[in-house]
Amino acid sequence: MPTVHSIFRRVEFSETDLAGIMHFTNFYRWMEICEHEFLRSVGLSVDMEDENGRFGWPRVKTSCRFKRPLRFEEEVEVKLIVTEIRDRSIAYAFQFWKDENGGRVKAAVGETIAACVRFDQAIGTMTPIMIPEVVLSKIKA
């Protein structure tokens, strides 16, 4: 069932710290960007609407383990892998790949679990819901 999607990004100067290394918070931003691009690639979004109203995907868990620094101007492949689809959530694994000393190395690995929720804007709440069939059919295809 592995569904895989990759994006390529170059480390920008504004994403680095005083040591010239990409700040750890940007790994999380890049994971989210990769997830959004994955969903768009299959005709979905993180903010959708159906006959029952608006629904989306807040994070319930996220982590990242850093193995190699990413530096200004380095080009990085961010790979998303759908690892599990439950009734009300989707788990993604992320891999950050870069070239180093003539070979490709894994710079970091991450994980995100996103819950499917219905938004009730009138009272400002989110309620977990079953993942709609339209989402399942496009992600599992």
Side-chain angles (χ1 to χ4, degrees):
M1 189 256 336
T3 300
V4 178
H5 182 79
S6 289
I7 63 171
F8 293 86
R9 295 189 54 101
R10 188 172 299 280
V11 178
E12 301 290 337
F13 184 75
S14 63
E15 296 172 317
T16 63
D17 59 19
L18 289 174
I21 296 170
M22 188 164 92
H23 193 266
F24 77 93
T25 57
N26 289 304
F27 286 84
Y28 293 98
R29 287 183 59 237
W30 285 19
M31 289 191 298
E32 187 170 52
I33 289 166
C34 189
E35 176 196 7
H36 290 198
E37 290 193 21
F38 162 67
L39 291 172
R40 279 189 215 102
S41 78
V42 295
L44 300 171
S45 176
V46 293
D47 188 359
M48 295 184 66
E49 200 163 325
D50 63 13
E51 65 278 356
N52 297 311
R54 194 169 149 238
F55 66 93
W57 303 93
R59 281 34 177 170
V60 293
K61 179 182 178 184
T62 187
S63 65
C64 192
R65 182 180 200 121
F66 312 103
K67 299 175 175 287
R68 297 261 204 308
L70 296 180
R71 300 181 188 282
F72 174 56
E73 295 283 7
E74 283 187 316
E75 186 175 48
V76 180
E77 177 187 10
V78 182
K79 183 181 285 187
L80 170 150
I81 303 157
V82 177
T83 57
E84 185 176 18
I85 300 175
R86 292 188 174 183
D87 292 341
R88 300 171 193 265
S89 65
I90 299 176
Y92 302 106
F94 294 89
Q95 300 173 352
F96 294 76
W97 293 90
K98 72 174 191 168
D99 292 329
E100 185 177 285
N101 299 324
R104 293 197 34 89
V105 296
K106 202 178 289 181
V109 293
E111 175 190 35
T112 295
I113 299 175
C116 190
V117 302
R118 176 92 44 214
F119 299 111
D120 185 337
Q121 293 172 307
I123 57 176
T125 62
M126 295 182 290
T127 304
I129 62 169
M130 300 288 282
I131 298 173
E133 186 55 42
V134 66
V135 172
L136 292 173
S137 66
K138 290 185 177 187
I139 289 179
K140 290 181 177 180

